[in-house]
Amino acid sequence: MWPILDSQEPMPIIAATWSLATGGCQGAIAPLIAGGSALDAVCAVARATERDPTVDSVGLGGLPDATGHVTLDACVMVSPAKCGAVCAVAKHLDVTDLARMVMERTRHVMLAGKGADDFARALGMRESNLLAPAARAAWERWRTGGETPPSHDTVGVLAIDSAGVMAGACSTSGMAYKLAGRVGDSPIPGHGLYVDPEVGGAVATGNGELVMGVCGTFLAVELMRRGSTPQEAVREVLERIERTYSPEPHQQVGVIVLSRDGRIGSGALRGGFEVVVADEQGVRLTPAAMVTHPDTPEVKR
Ligand code: ASP
């Protein structure tokens, strides 16, 4: 594996998007400090969020597409040569674990749709009905014109373990009421998640279409490779999105960057984006360090 620090002991740390990751981080930080792997930690945070039926943007309880079907996307990454992803999964809940199986047990990077569900079944994973009653009711209200689409929040997680290895995971049900077949940034290496152990990692959340055209997380890591601090990298990614798309006031993107030596940068287009940090000091939820448009209404869950 790749040692991160030359002179100091690595400090185990987890950084994750939105308050919805808090419970998962509380469960994952002790095993990480006790010597667990970063990959196990990021999968544990994502899995806990996927299984939480009160989270309407990831896993069970996720809001469906326009036709009323929930489809899930996820990605895990340890290095450019070691990543795995699934998208448009319709029948299985633990999609981050499934993405990890793609990484560890196949010669491929991404499986989509029925092929991903078939792979999960072949692994012995249990099928689930992903449409929770509350999500169905919300979709019915939206369909009949009574509800505008709520914001949509991916769980994106980065961690460094005590061996100095970094890993990342990203899991989402995607944009609420999306067109059937739409896949966003989350499961694609370099878009919703990127990890390069020589440099660090980045995760993105929010309107995936705004992240994909600028390869947002790849860009953040490349900026760090060329000397930017994590916070400078976040700022430049958001500025690039701004220049490229002139986002509308309701559109949000949040970015977290973690350098190989454990420094965190964070930011968002609008207020409301929060970062969960877990380490030996405990688990805390903090607002993003920078906001491009503090003058526009907050976009949060
Ligand atoms: N980025 C995700 C997507 O566009 C959604 C989110 O972060 O809420 O699918």
Side-chain angles (χ1 to χ4, degrees), residues 77-116:
M77 188 158 189
V78 177
S79 76
K82 195 172 176 199
C83 53
V86 289
C87 66
V89 174
K91 296 184 175 165
H92 293 86
L93 175 59
D94 294 330
V95 276
T96 302
D97 290 334
L98 187 58
R100 181 174 177 171
M101 289 297 106
V102 173
M103 177 176 84
E104 293 182 343
R105 304 222 184 147
T106 79
R107 290 177 294 117
H108 308 304
V109 169
M110 183 184 283
L111 295 180
K114 181 176 180 303

mmCIF file of all heavy atoms in Angstrom, residues 77-116:
data_model
loop_
_atom_site.group_PDB
_atom_site.id
_atom_site.type_symbol
_atom_site.label_atom_id
_atom_site.label_comp_id
_atom_site.label_asym_id
_atom_site.label_seq_id
_atom_site.Cartn_x
_atom_site.Cartn_y
_atom_site.Cartn_z
ATOM 1 N N MET A 77 -13.046 4.040 -3.937
ATOM 2 C CA MET A 77 -11.770 4.302 -4.609
ATOM 3 C C MET A 77 -10.634 4.323 -3.599
ATOM 4 O O MET A 77 -10.751 4.924 -2.527
ATOM 5 C CB MET A 77 -11.857 5.641 -5.348
ATOM 6 C CG MET A 77 -10.677 5.926 -6.233
ATOM 7 S SD MET A 77 -11.087 7.121 -7.535
ATOM 8 C CE MET A 77 -9.593 7.005 -8.520
ATOM 9 N N VAL A 78 -9.556 3.659 -3.969
ATOM 10 C CA VAL A 78 -8.340 3.665 -3.152
ATOM 11 C C VAL A 78 -7.189 4.306 -3.935
ATOM 12 O O VAL A 78 -6.298 4.914 -3.345
ATOM 13 C CB VAL A 78 -7.980 2.223 -2.722
ATOM 14 C CG1 VAL A 78 -6.685 2.189 -1.934
ATOM 15 C CG2 VAL A 78 -9.108 1.616 -1.894
ATOM 16 N N SER A 79 -7.245 4.164 -5.241
ATOM 17 C CA SER A 79 -6.220 4.756 -6.101
ATOM 18 C C SER A 79 -6.751 4.739 -7.530
ATOM 19 O O SER A 79 -7.739 4.067 -7.811
ATOM 20 C CB SER A 79 -4.914 3.951 -6.029
ATOM 21 O OG SER A 79 -5.042 2.758 -6.784
ATOM 22 N N PRO A 80 -6.095 5.461 -8.449
ATOM 23 C CA PRO A 80 -6.575 5.422 -9.832
ATOM 24 C C PRO A 80 -6.616 3.998 -10.400
ATOM 25 O O PRO A 80 -7.441 3.690 -11.254
ATOM 26 C CB PRO A 80 -5.549 6.282 -10.579
ATOM 27 C CG PRO A 80 -5.081 7.256 -9.539
ATOM 28 C CD PRO A 80 -5.028 6.458 -8.260
ATOM 29 N N ALA A 81 -5.758 3.124 -9.913
ATOM 30 C CA ALA A 81 -5.752 1.745 -10.404
ATOM 31 C C ALA A 81 -6.667 0.836 -9.605
ATOM 32 O O ALA A 81 -6.812 -0.337 -9.935
ATOM 33 C CB ALA A 81 -4.322 1.194 -10.366
ATOM 34 N N LYS A 82 -7.280 1.365 -8.550
ATOM 35 C CA LYS A 82 -8.102 0.518 -7.683
ATOM 36 C C LYS A 82 -9.378 1.256 -7.302
ATOM 37 O O LYS A 82 -9.411 2.008 -6.316
ATOM 38 C CB LYS A 82 -7.300 0.119 -6.434
ATOM 39 C CG LYS A 82 -7.931 -1.038 -5.687
ATOM 40 C CD LYS A 82 -7.047 -1.553 -4.575
ATOM 41 C CE LYS A 82 -7.789 -2.649 -3.814
ATOM 42 N NZ LYS A 82 -7.244 -2.917 -2.504
ATOM 43 N N CYS A 83 -10.408 1.056 -8.135
ATOM 44 C CA CYS A 83 -11.708 1.656 -7.833
ATOM 45 C C CYS A 83 -12.798 0.759 -8.401
ATOM 46 O O CYS A 83 -12.539 -0.074 -9.266
ATOM 47 C CB CYS A 83 -11.811 3.076 -8.401
ATOM 48 S SG CYS A 83 -11.439 3.241 -10.142
ATOM 49 N N GLY A 84 -14.009 0.928 -7.892
ATOM 50 C CA GLY A 84 -15.134 0.125 -8.361
ATOM 51 C C GLY A 84 -16.411 0.921 -8.214
ATOM 52 O O GLY A 84 -16.516 1.788 -7.344
ATOM 53 N N ALA A 85 -17.388 0.627 -9.073
ATOM 54 C CA ALA A 85 -18.612 1.424 -9.052
ATOM 55 C C ALA A 85 -19.787 0.617 -9.577
ATOM 56 O O ALA A 85 -19.610 -0.348 -10.334
ATOM 57 C CB ALA A 85 -18.425 2.676 -9.909
ATOM 58 N N VAL A 86 -20.983 1.026 -9.139
ATOM 59 C CA VAL A 86 -22.229 0.499 -9.705
ATOM 60 C C VAL A 86 -23.168 1.675 -9.930
ATOM 61 O O VAL A 86 -23.094 2.681 -9.221
ATOM 62 C CB VAL A 86 -22.901 -0.534 -8.776
ATOM 63 C CG1 VAL A 86 -22.104 -1.825 -8.738
ATOM 64 C CG2 VAL A 86 -23.114 0.016 -7.371
ATOM 65 N N CYS A 87 -24.038 1.539 -10.922
ATOM 66 C CA CYS A 87 -25.041 2.592 -11.114
ATOM 67 C C CYS A 87 -26.353 1.985 -11.566
ATOM 68 O O CYS A 87 -26.377 0.861 -12.088
ATOM 69 C CB CYS A 87 -24.549 3.657 -12.097
ATOM 70 S SG CYS A 87 -24.335 3.093 -13.766
ATOM 71 N N ALA A 88 -27.432 2.725 -11.315
ATOM 72 C CA ALA A 88 -28.787 2.305 -11.691
ATOM 73 C C ALA A 88 -29.142 0.935 -11.110
ATOM 74 O O ALA A 88 -29.784 0.120 -11.756
ATOM 75 C CB ALA A 88 -28.933 2.317 -13.215
ATOM 76 N N VAL A 89 -28.719 0.706 -9.877
ATOM 77 C CA VAL A 89 -29.065 -0.544 -9.175
ATOM 78 C C VAL A 89 -30.497 -0.401 -8.662
ATOM 79 O O VAL A 89 -30.822 0.578 -7.982
ATOM 80 C CB VAL A 89 -28.086 -0.778 -7.993
ATOM 81 C CG1 VAL A 89 -28.508 -1.988 -7.168
ATOM 82 C CG2 VAL A 89 -26.665 -0.942 -8.521
ATOM 83 N N ALA A 90 -31.358 -1.363 -8.977
ATOM 84 C CA ALA A 90 -32.789 -1.224 -8.651
ATOM 85 C C ALA A 90 -33.254 -2.163 -7.553
ATOM 86 O O ALA A 90 -34.334 -1.965 -6.995
ATOM 87 C CB ALA A 90 -33.618 -1.468 -9.915
ATOM 88 N N LYS A 91 -32.464 -3.191 -7.244
ATOM 89 C CA LYS A 91 -32.992 -4.229 -6.344
ATOM 90 C C LYS A 91 -32.120 -4.528 -5.139
ATOM 91 O O LYS A 91 -32.425 -5.444 -4.380
ATOM 92 C CB LYS A 91 -33.196 -5.514 -7.144
ATOM 93 C CG LYS A 91 -34.245 -5.366 -8.223
ATOM 94 C CD LYS A 91 -34.499 -6.666 -8.933
ATOM 95 C CE LYS A 91 -35.658 -6.480 -9.915
ATOM 96 N NZ LYS A 91 -35.728 -7.569 -10.876
ATOM 97 N N HIS A 92 -31.019 -3.839 -4.978
ATOM 98 C CA HIS A 92 -30.115 -4.134 -3.865
ATOM 99 C C HIS A 92 -29.737 -2.849 -3.144
ATOM 100 O O HIS A 92 -29.502 -1.814 -3.770
ATOM 101 C CB HIS A 92 -28.876 -4.880 -4.357
ATOM 102 C CG HIS A 92 -29.209 -6.257 -4.857
ATOM 103 N ND1 HIS A 92 -29.609 -6.485 -6.146
ATOM 104 C CD2 HIS A 92 -29.253 -7.451 -4.215
ATOM 105 C CE1 HIS A 92 -29.873 -7.781 -6.301
ATOM 106 N NE2 HIS A 92 -29.661 -8.389 -5.147
ATOM 107 N N LEU A 93 -29.652 -2.971 -1.824
ATOM 108 C CA LEU A 93 -29.486 -1.787 -0.982
ATOM 109 C C LEU A 93 -28.021 -1.416 -0.726
ATOM 110 O O LEU A 93 -27.658 -0.248 -0.768
ATOM 111 C CB LEU A 93 -30.199 -2.052 0.353
ATOM 112 C CG LEU A 93 -30.057 -0.998 1.441
ATOM 113 C CD1 LEU A 93 -30.577 0.342 0.952
ATOM 114 C CD2 LEU A 93 -30.818 -1.444 2.686
ATOM 115 N N ASP A 94 -27.193 -2.409 -0.437
ATOM 116 C CA ASP A 94 -25.819 -2.119 -0.003
ATOM 117 C C ASP A 94 -24.922 -1.858 -1.217
ATOM 118 O O ASP A 94 -24.001 -2.623 -1.528
ATOM 119 C CB ASP A 94 -25.281 -3.279 0.838
ATOM 120 C CG ASP A 94 -26.029 -3.430 2.156
ATOM 121 O OD1 ASP A 94 -26.521 -2.414 2.690
ATOM 122 O OD2 ASP A 94 -26.121 -4.567 2.653
ATOM 123 N N VAL A 95 -25.185 -0.746 -1.892
ATOM 124 C CA VAL A 95 -24.513 -0.526 -3.173
ATOM 125 C C VAL A 95 -23.032 -0.157 -3.026
ATOM 126 O O VAL A 95 -22.248 -0.392 -3.939
ATOM 127 C CB VAL A 95 -25.248 0.529 -4.038
ATOM 128 C CG1 VAL A 95 -26.364 -0.118 -4.807
ATOM 129 C CG2 VAL A 95 -25.744 1.705 -3.230
ATOM 130 N N THR A 96 -22.653 0.429 -1.880
ATOM 131 C CA THR A 96 -21.225 0.711 -1.709
ATOM 132 C C THR A 96 -20.449 -0.598 -1.551
ATOM 133 O O THR A 96 -19.374 -0.771 -2.141
ATOM 134 C CB THR A 96 -20.999 1.631 -0.496
ATOM 135 O OG1 THR A 96 -21.744 2.838 -0.708
ATOM 136 C CG2 THR A 96 -19.534 1.966 -0.326
ATOM 137 N N ASP A 97 -21.021 -1.538 -0.777
ATOM 138 C CA ASP A 97 -20.377 -2.861 -0.672
ATOM 139 C C ASP A 97 -20.320 -3.535 -2.043
ATOM 140 O O ASP A 97 -19.347 -4.223 -2.375
ATOM 141 C CB ASP A 97 -21.147 -3.748 0.313
ATOM 142 C CG ASP A 97 -20.983 -3.278 1.758
ATOM 143 O OD1 ASP A 97 -19.956 -2.648 2.059
ATOM 144 O OD2 ASP A 97 -21.881 -3.541 2.574
ATOM 145 N N LEU A 98 -21.374 -3.338 -2.832
ATOM 146 C CA LEU A 98 -21.403 -3.931 -4.170
ATOM 147 C C LEU A 98 -20.312 -3.311 -5.057
ATOM 148 O O LEU A 98 -19.608 -4.025 -5.784
ATOM 149 C CB LEU A 98 -22.798 -3.722 -4.780
ATOM 150 C CG LEU A 98 -23.088 -4.415 -6.102
ATOM 151 C CD1 LEU A 98 -22.915 -5.931 -5.998
ATOM 152 C CD2 LEU A 98 -24.505 -4.084 -6.571
ATOM 153 N N ALA A 99 -20.148 -1.990 -4.962
ATOM 154 C CA ALA A 99 -19.076 -1.317 -5.720
ATOM 155 C C ALA A 99 -17.708 -1.865 -5.305
ATOM 156 O O ALA A 99 -16.816 -2.081 -6.132
ATOM 157 C CB ALA A 99 -19.142 0.187 -5.483
ATOM 158 N N ARG A 100 -17.565 -2.118 -3.996
ATOM 159 C CA ARG A 100 -16.296 -2.685 -3.506
ATOM 160 C C ARG A 100 -16.064 -4.086 -4.093
ATOM 161 O O ARG A 100 -14.931 -4.447 -4.445
ATOM 162 C CB ARG A 100 -16.320 -2.737 -1.975
ATOM 163 C CG ARG A 100 -15.054 -3.289 -1.383
ATOM 164 C CD ARG A 100 -15.061 -3.178 0.123
ATOM 165 N NE ARG A 100 -13.875 -3.775 0.693
ATOM 166 C CZ ARG A 100 -13.536 -3.673 1.972
ATOM 167 N NH1 ARG A 100 -14.299 -2.985 2.810
ATOM 168 N NH2 ARG A 100 -12.438 -4.248 2.435
ATOM 169 N N MET A 101 -17.146 -4.852 -4.227
ATOM 170 C CA MET A 101 -17.012 -6.193 -4.820
ATOM 171 C C MET A 101 -16.614 -6.100 -6.294
ATOM 172 O O MET A 101 -15.837 -6.921 -6.788
ATOM 173 C CB MET A 101 -18.328 -6.965 -4.666
ATOM 174 C CG MET A 101 -18.649 -7.388 -3.251
ATOM 175 S SD MET A 101 -17.427 -8.548 -2.572
ATOM 176 C CE MET A 101 -16.540 -7.507 -1.459
ATOM 177 N N VAL A 102 -17.148 -5.097 -6.998
ATOM 178 C CA VAL A 102 -16.723 -4.895 -8.396
ATOM 179 C C VAL A 102 -15.214 -4.638 -8.428
ATOM 180 O O VAL A 102 -14.479 -5.189 -9.250
ATOM 181 C CB VAL A 102 -17.492 -3.721 -9.052
ATOM 182 C CG1 VAL A 102 -16.924 -3.406 -10.439
ATOM 183 C CG2 VAL A 102 -18.988 -4.038 -9.147
ATOM 184 N N MET A 103 -14.753 -3.814 -7.483
ATOM 185 C CA MET A 103 -13.323 -3.472 -7.423
ATOM 186 C C MET A 103 -12.469 -4.704 -7.084
ATOM 187 O O MET A 103 -11.417 -4.923 -7.668
ATOM 188 C CB MET A 103 -13.121 -2.377 -6.372
ATOM 189 C CG MET A 103 -11.683 -1.971 -6.144
ATOM 190 S SD MET A 103 -11.562 -0.600 -4.974
ATOM 191 C CE MET A 103 -11.595 -1.452 -3.405
ATOM 192 N N GLU A 104 -12.960 -5.482 -6.111
ATOM 193 C CA GLU A 104 -12.112 -6.556 -5.581
ATOM 194 C C GLU A 104 -12.258 -7.885 -6.320
ATOM 195 O O GLU A 104 -11.354 -8.711 -6.285
ATOM 196 C CB GLU A 104 -12.424 -6.764 -4.088
ATOM 197 C CG GLU A 104 -11.990 -5.556 -3.247
ATOM 198 C CD GLU A 104 -12.238 -5.725 -1.754
ATOM 199 O OE1 GLU A 104 -13.029 -6.608 -1.370
ATOM 200 O OE2 GLU A 104 -11.632 -4.937 -0.987
ATOM 201 N N ARG A 105 -13.420 -8.095 -6.987
ATOM 202 C CA ARG A 105 -13.658 -9.426 -7.545
ATOM 203 C C ARG A 105 -13.821 -9.476 -9.059
ATOM 204 O O ARG A 105 -14.112 -10.528 -9.604
ATOM 205 C CB ARG A 105 -14.917 -10.030 -6.914
ATOM 206 C CG ARG A 105 -14.836 -10.092 -5.412
ATOM 207 C CD ARG A 105 -15.366 -11.394 -4.900
ATOM 208 N NE ARG A 105 -15.376 -11.387 -3.452
ATOM 209 C CZ ARG A 105 -16.279 -12.003 -2.718
ATOM 210 N NH1 ARG A 105 -17.248 -12.674 -3.294
ATOM 211 N NH2 ARG A 105 -16.205 -11.972 -1.408
ATOM 212 N N THR A 106 -13.729 -8.321 -9.722
ATOM 213 C CA THR A 106 -13.856 -8.348 -11.186
ATOM 214 C C THR A 106 -12.682 -7.600 -11.815
ATOM 215 O O THR A 106 -11.917 -6.932 -11.120
ATOM 216 C CB THR A 106 -15.174 -7.681 -11.686
ATOM 217 O OG1 THR A 106 -15.010 -6.257 -11.654
ATOM 218 C CG2 THR A 106 -16.371 -8.067 -10.836
ATOM 219 N N ARG A 107 -12.615 -7.697 -13.146
ATOM 220 C CA ARG A 107 -11.579 -6.942 -13.856
ATOM 221 C C ARG A 107 -12.126 -5.617 -14.374
ATOM 222 O O ARG A 107 -11.526 -4.954 -15.181
ATOM 223 C CB ARG A 107 -11.058 -7.775 -15.035
ATOM 224 C CG ARG A 107 -10.237 -8.977 -14.606
ATOM 225 C CD ARG A 107 -9.791 -9.810 -15.781
ATOM 226 N NE ARG A 107 -10.923 -10.443 -16.459
ATOM 227 C CZ ARG A 107 -11.279 -10.201 -17.715
ATOM 228 N NH1 ARG A 107 -10.606 -9.346 -18.449
ATOM 229 N NH2 ARG A 107 -12.319 -10.813 -18.249
ATOM 230 N N HIS A 108 -13.335 -5.262 -13.896
ATOM 231 C CA HIS A 108 -13.997 -4.063 -14.411
ATOM 232 C C HIS A 108 -14.009 -2.946 -13.368
ATOM 233 O O HIS A 108 -13.694 -3.169 -12.201
ATOM 234 C CB HIS A 108 -15.421 -4.413 -14.826
ATOM 235 C CG HIS A 108 -15.488 -5.590 -15.739
ATOM 236 N ND1 HIS A 108 -14.796 -5.646 -16.921
ATOM 237 C CD2 HIS A 108 -16.129 -6.782 -15.619
ATOM 238 C CE1 HIS A 108 -15.021 -6.801 -17.517
ATOM 239 N NE2 HIS A 108 -15.815 -7.522 -16.741
ATOM 240 N N VAL A 109 -14.436 -1.777 -13.801
ATOM 241 C CA VAL A 109 -14.582 -0.650 -12.866
ATOM 242 C C VAL A 109 -16.056 -0.422 -12.533
ATOM 243 O O VAL A 109 -16.392 -0.164 -11.390
ATOM 244 C CB VAL A 109 -13.954 0.640 -13.452
ATOM 245 C CG1 VAL A 109 -14.325 1.862 -12.616
ATOM 246 C CG2 VAL A 109 -12.432 0.502 -13.514
ATOM 247 N N MET A 110 -16.953 -0.515 -13.511
ATOM 248 C CA MET A 110 -18.358 -0.175 -13.235
ATOM 249 C C MET A 110 -19.315 -1.193 -13.848
ATOM 250 O O MET A 110 -19.144 -1.592 -14.993
ATOM 251 C CB MET A 110 -18.680 1.216 -13.790
ATOM 252 C CG MET A 110 -20.109 1.654 -13.477
ATOM 253 S SD MET A 110 -20.556 3.237 -14.223
ATOM 254 C CE MET A 110 -19.730 4.370 -13.130
ATOM 255 N N LEU A 111 -20.321 -1.571 -13.056
ATOM 256 C CA LEU A 111 -21.438 -2.366 -13.575
ATOM 257 C C LEU A 111 -22.702 -1.535 -13.455
ATOM 258 O O LEU A 111 -22.905 -0.841 -12.453
ATOM 259 C CB LEU A 111 -21.602 -3.671 -12.785
ATOM 260 C CG LEU A 111 -20.460 -4.686 -12.886
ATOM 261 C CD1 LEU A 111 -20.775 -5.920 -12.035
ATOM 262 C CD2 LEU A 111 -20.190 -5.105 -14.331
ATOM 263 N N ALA A 112 -23.573 -1.640 -14.482
ATOM 264 C CA ALA A 112 -24.774 -0.796 -14.521
ATOM 265 C C ALA A 112 -26.049 -1.630 -14.582
ATOM 266 O O ALA A 112 -26.074 -2.709 -15.182
ATOM 267 C CB ALA A 112 -24.719 0.116 -15.745
ATOM 268 N N GLY A 113 -27.104 -1.099 -13.968
ATOM 269 C CA GLY A 113 -28.456 -1.615 -14.141
ATOM 270 C C GLY A 113 -28.590 -3.089 -13.818
ATOM 271 O O GLY A 113 -28.116 -3.575 -12.784
ATOM 272 N N LYS A 114 -29.245 -3.815 -14.730
ATOM 273 C CA LYS A 114 -29.547 -5.227 -14.484
ATOM 274 C C LYS A 114 -28.280 -6.041 -14.237
ATOM 275 O O LYS A 114 -28.259 -6.944 -13.397
ATOM 276 C CB LYS A 114 -30.310 -5.780 -15.693
ATOM 277 C CG LYS A 114 -30.694 -7.232 -15.545
ATOM 278 C CD LYS A 114 -31.535 -7.715 -16.712
ATOM 279 C CE LYS A 114 -31.909 -9.183 -16.543
ATOM 280 N NZ LYS A 114 -30.759 -10.084 -16.400
ATOM 281 N N GLY A 115 -27.205 -5.701 -14.939
ATOM 282 C CA GLY A 115 -25.948 -6.428 -14.741
ATOM 283 C C GLY A 115 -25.427 -6.277 -13.325
ATOM 284 O O GLY A 115 -24.900 -7.228 -12.730
ATOM 285 N N ALA A 116 -25.593 -5.088 -12.762
ATOM 286 C CA ALA A 116 -25.147 -4.858 -11.380
ATOM 287 C C ALA A 116 -26.026 -5.635 -10.408
ATOM 288 O O ALA A 116 -25.533 -6.239 -9.443
ATOM 289 C CB ALA A 116 -25.185 -3.361 -11.068
#
